[in-house]
């Protein structure tokens, strides 16, 4: 059986504050921990107040995005959200911490 990702509306991207800032949202292969933390912090600040942050986050969760900052969340934060929902351990927080 072939696993297909669910169809998701992508037109919200036109209104995203991150357009043109891809370098902040995706790290490089040999990025130091300090550089990653700094870059992720800058990316999350750009996400703050974005008119489509919730749609972006839902998209990343639905598409199982394994890399980058999406909807103000890192891949680790998204994995925790999915794990929490899968286990059914309330309360699962829908917004990122920090």
């Amino acid at each position: 059986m072939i696993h297909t990702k669910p169809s998701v509306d992508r037109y919200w991207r036109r209104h995203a504050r991150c357009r043109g800032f891809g370098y902040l949202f995706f790290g490089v292969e040999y990025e130091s921990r300090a550089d990653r933390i700094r870059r992720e912090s800058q990316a999350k600040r750009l996400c703050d107040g974005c008119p489509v942050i919730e749609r972006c986050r839902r998209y990343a969760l639905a598409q199982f995005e394994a890399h980058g900052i999406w909807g103000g969340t890192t891949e680790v934060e998204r994995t925790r959200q999915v794990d929490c929902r899968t286990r059914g351990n309330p309360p699962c927080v829908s917004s990122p911490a920090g």
Side-chain angles (χ1 to χ4, degrees):
M1 177 177 198
I2 297 174
H3 176 72
T4 58
K5 294 181 178 180
S7 176
V8 177
D9 172 22
R10 295 186 183 115
Y11 293 107
W12 55 265
R13 291 181 182 189
R14 296 179 189 170
H15 306 288
R17 290 181 68 196
C18 61
R19 287 184 62 159
F21 293 97
Y23 62 93
L24 283 178
F25 291 83
F26 299 94
V28 294
E29 188 173 350
Y30 296 105
E31 183 176 46
S32 72
R33 183 174 190 276
D35 287 344
R36 178 183 51 81
I37 290 169
R38 186 174 18 261
R39 178 186 51 76
E40 288 178 349
S41 177
Q42 290 173 334
K44 287 181 172 191
R45 279 196 304 272
L46 194 57
C47 289
D48 288 344
C50 179
V52 295
I53 189 171
E54 291 298 328
R55 291 182 85 179
C56 181
R57 185 177 302 132
R58 284 194 308 268
Y59 171 83
L61 290 168
Q63 299 298 310
F64 303 100
E65 287 292 346
H67 303 286
I69 305 292
W70 290 83
T73 61
T74 66
E75 51 271 18
V76 171
E77 291 165 338
R78 289 190 301 276
T79 299
R80 286 181 186 149
Q81 288 180 352
V82 169
D83 289 348
C84 179
R85 290 176 185 166
T86 302
R87 288 189 312 264
N89 292 340
C92 292
V93 179
S94 63
S95 60

